[in-house]
Short mmCIF file of all heavy atoms in Angstrom, two decimals:
data_model
loop_
_atom_site.label_atom_id
_atom_site.label_comp_id
_atom_site.label_asym_id
_atom_site.label_seq_id
_atom_site.Cartn_x
_atom_site.Cartn_y
_atom_site.Cartn_z
N PHE A 1 53.75 -25.44 49.41
CA PHE A 1 54.36 -24.10 49.28
C PHE A 1 53.77 -23.31 48.18
O PHE A 1 53.43 -22.09 48.28
CB PHE A 1 55.91 -24.29 49.00
CG PHE A 1 56.61 -22.98 48.62
CD1 PHE A 1 56.86 -21.97 49.56
CD2 PHE A 1 56.96 -22.76 47.28
CE1 PHE A 1 57.53 -20.81 49.23
CE2 PHE A 1 57.58 -21.54 46.96
CZ PHE A 1 57.87 -20.60 47.88
N LEU A 2 53.55 -23.97 46.99
CA LEU A 2 52.98 -23.27 45.83
C LEU A 2 51.51 -22.80 46.16
O LEU A 2 51.13 -21.73 45.71
CB LEU A 2 52.97 -24.18 44.63
CG LEU A 2 54.36 -24.46 44.00
CD1 LEU A 2 54.31 -25.48 42.93
CD2 LEU A 2 55.10 -23.18 43.55
N LYS A 3 50.76 -23.66 46.83
CA LYS A 3 49.41 -23.23 47.27
C LYS A 3 49.44 -22.03 48.12
O LYS A 3 48.60 -21.13 48.05
CB LYS A 3 48.66 -24.41 47.87
CG LYS A 3 48.33 -25.54 46.88
CD LYS A 3 47.65 -26.67 47.68
CE LYS A 3 47.26 -27.79 46.67
NZ LYS A 3 46.60 -28.96 47.36
N SER A 4 50.36 -22.04 49.07
CA SER A 4 50.53 -20.91 49.99
C SER A 4 50.90 -19.62 49.24
O SER A 4 50.37 -18.55 49.54
CB SER A 4 51.58 -21.21 51.06
OG SER A 4 51.26 -22.38 51.82
N LEU A 5 51.77 -19.80 48.26
CA LEU A 5 52.21 -18.68 47.48
C LEU A 5 51.05 -18.12 46.68
O LEU A 5 50.82 -16.90 46.55
CB LEU A 5 53.33 -19.07 46.53
CG LEU A 5 54.14 -17.91 45.88
CD1 LEU A 5 54.89 -17.14 46.96
CD2 LEU A 5 55.20 -18.49 44.92
N ALA A 6 50.26 -18.97 46.10
CA ALA A 6 49.06 -18.58 45.38
C ALA A 6 48.03 -17.83 46.26
O ALA A 6 47.47 -16.85 45.84
CB ALA A 6 48.41 -19.80 44.72
N ALA A 7 47.91 -18.33 47.50
CA ALA A 7 47.01 -17.67 48.40
C ALA A 7 47.48 -16.27 48.83
O ALA A 7 46.66 -15.34 48.86
CB ALA A 7 46.85 -18.52 49.72
N LEU A 8 48.76 -16.14 49.01
CA LEU A 8 49.32 -14.81 49.28
C LEU A 8 49.15 -13.87 48.13
O LEU A 8 48.82 -12.70 48.29
CB LEU A 8 50.88 -14.96 49.58
CG LEU A 8 51.19 -15.51 50.91
CD1 LEU A 8 52.69 -15.80 51.04
CD2 LEU A 8 50.82 -14.52 52.07
N ALA A 9 49.30 -14.40 46.89
CA ALA A 9 49.11 -13.55 45.66
C ALA A 9 47.68 -13.04 45.59
O ALA A 9 47.44 -11.87 45.27
CB ALA A 9 49.52 -14.32 44.43
N ALA A 10 46.76 -13.96 45.87
CA ALA A 10 45.34 -13.63 45.80
C ALA A 10 44.97 -12.51 46.84
O ALA A 10 44.15 -11.70 46.67
CB ALA A 10 44.44 -14.83 46.05
N ALA A 11 45.65 -12.58 47.96
CA ALA A 11 45.42 -11.62 48.99
C ALA A 11 46.23 -10.27 48.86
O ALA A 11 46.04 -9.34 49.54
CB ALA A 11 45.81 -12.24 50.43
N GLY A 12 47.08 -10.31 47.84
CA GLY A 12 47.86 -9.09 47.49
C GLY A 12 48.96 -8.80 48.51
O GLY A 12 49.37 -7.66 48.75
N VAL A 13 49.51 -9.87 49.16
CA VAL A 13 50.51 -9.67 50.18
C VAL A 13 51.78 -10.45 49.90
O VAL A 13 52.54 -10.84 50.77
CB VAL A 13 49.99 -10.03 51.59
CG1 VAL A 13 48.91 -9.14 52.07
CG2 VAL A 13 49.44 -11.51 51.59
N LEU A 14 52.02 -10.63 48.63
CA LEU A 14 53.27 -11.34 48.29
C LEU A 14 54.54 -10.47 48.66
O LEU A 14 54.47 -9.21 48.51
CB LEU A 14 53.30 -11.57 46.69
CG LEU A 14 52.76 -12.84 46.20
CD1 LEU A 14 52.70 -12.85 44.70
CD2 LEU A 14 53.44 -14.07 46.72
N PRO A 15 55.54 -11.11 49.11
CA PRO A 15 56.76 -10.32 49.38
C PRO A 15 57.35 -9.73 48.07
O PRO A 15 57.03 -10.20 46.99
CB PRO A 15 57.75 -11.36 49.96
CG PRO A 15 57.25 -12.68 49.36
CD PRO A 15 55.76 -12.54 49.30
N SER A 16 58.15 -8.67 48.22
CA SER A 16 58.60 -7.99 46.99
C SER A 16 59.39 -8.86 46.07
O SER A 16 59.36 -8.65 44.86
CB SER A 16 59.54 -6.77 47.43
OG SER A 16 60.64 -7.21 48.21
N THR A 17 60.07 -9.92 46.57
CA THR A 17 60.88 -10.74 45.64
C THR A 17 59.96 -11.55 44.70
O THR A 17 60.39 -11.99 43.64
CB THR A 17 61.67 -11.76 46.51
OG1 THR A 17 60.84 -12.44 47.42
CG2 THR A 17 62.77 -11.07 47.23
N ALA A 18 58.65 -11.71 45.01
CA ALA A 18 57.77 -12.41 44.16
C ALA A 18 57.42 -11.68 42.93
O ALA A 18 56.78 -12.16 42.03
CB ALA A 18 56.51 -12.76 44.95
N PHE A 19 57.77 -10.37 42.88
CA PHE A 19 57.46 -9.56 41.72
C PHE A 19 58.55 -9.73 40.66
O PHE A 19 58.49 -9.19 39.56
CB PHE A 19 57.34 -8.12 42.08
CG PHE A 19 56.07 -7.74 42.74
CD1 PHE A 19 55.87 -7.88 44.16
CD2 PHE A 19 54.96 -7.27 42.06
CE1 PHE A 19 54.74 -7.64 44.77
CE2 PHE A 19 53.76 -6.98 42.72
CZ PHE A 19 53.62 -7.13 44.02
N ALA A 20 59.61 -10.51 41.00
CA ALA A 20 60.70 -10.74 40.04
C ALA A 20 60.21 -11.35 38.76
O ALA A 20 59.20 -12.13 38.82
CB ALA A 20 61.77 -11.55 40.65
N SER A 21 60.92 -11.15 37.64
CA SER A 21 60.64 -11.76 36.35
C SER A 21 59.17 -11.39 35.96
O SER A 21 58.46 -12.18 35.44
CB SER A 21 60.67 -13.27 36.49
OG SER A 21 62.08 -13.66 36.77
N ALA A 22 58.81 -10.11 36.16
CA ALA A 22 57.50 -9.63 35.77
C ALA A 22 57.47 -9.33 34.25
O ALA A 22 58.48 -9.10 33.65
CB ALA A 22 57.16 -8.41 36.57
N ASN A 23 56.21 -9.32 33.71
CA ASN A 23 56.00 -8.82 32.46
C ASN A 23 55.55 -7.34 32.48
O ASN A 23 54.46 -7.13 32.90
CB ASN A 23 54.94 -9.66 31.71
CG ASN A 23 55.39 -11.12 31.55
OD1 ASN A 23 56.44 -11.37 31.01
ND2 ASN A 23 54.56 -12.03 31.92
N LEU A 24 56.47 -6.46 32.25
CA LEU A 24 56.24 -5.05 32.50
C LEU A 24 55.72 -4.27 31.29
O LEU A 24 55.99 -4.68 30.13
CB LEU A 24 57.54 -4.34 33.02
CG LEU A 24 58.11 -4.95 34.29
CD1 LEU A 24 59.44 -4.23 34.58
CD2 LEU A 24 57.22 -4.78 35.39
N LYS A 25 55.03 -3.19 31.55
CA LYS A 25 54.49 -2.26 30.51
C LYS A 25 55.19 -0.93 30.74
O LYS A 25 55.10 -0.37 31.90
CB LYS A 25 53.04 -2.15 30.56
CG LYS A 25 52.37 -3.46 30.12
CD LYS A 25 50.81 -3.42 30.39
CE LYS A 25 50.56 -3.58 31.93
NZ LYS A 25 49.14 -3.66 32.17
N MET A 26 55.79 -0.32 29.77
CA MET A 26 56.52 0.93 29.85
C MET A 26 55.86 2.00 29.06
O MET A 26 55.88 1.96 27.85
CB MET A 26 57.93 0.78 29.48
CG MET A 26 58.77 2.02 29.62
SD MET A 26 59.50 2.20 31.26
CE MET A 26 60.63 0.83 31.34
N MET A 27 55.24 2.95 29.71
CA MET A 27 54.63 4.16 28.95
C MET A 27 55.83 5.18 28.74
O MET A 27 56.49 5.62 29.67
CB MET A 27 53.53 4.79 29.80
CG MET A 27 53.12 6.18 29.35
SD MET A 27 52.57 6.28 27.63
CE MET A 27 51.01 5.44 27.73
N ILE A 28 55.99 5.46 27.46
CA ILE A 28 56.95 6.48 27.07
C ILE A 28 56.12 7.68 26.52
O ILE A 28 55.60 7.65 25.36
CB ILE A 28 57.95 5.97 26.05
CG1 ILE A 28 58.71 4.77 26.62
CG2 ILE A 28 58.89 7.11 25.63
CD1 ILE A 28 59.57 4.08 25.63
#
């Protein structure tokens, strides 16, 4: 499963839930 998830990430097609717990940058 983790290998599949990594492959999806490399292809840029991760589902939106995979963006959870991101390290965000906020321009003010």
Side-chain angles (χ1 to χ4, degrees):
F1 170 75
L2 291 174
K3 287 178 181 178
S4 299
L5 197 62
L8 284 171
V13 291
L14 271 175
S16 59
T17 53
F19 284 86
S21 299
N23 296 307
L24 300 177
K25 292 170 284 186
M26 183 85 67
M27 165 58 72
I28 300 173

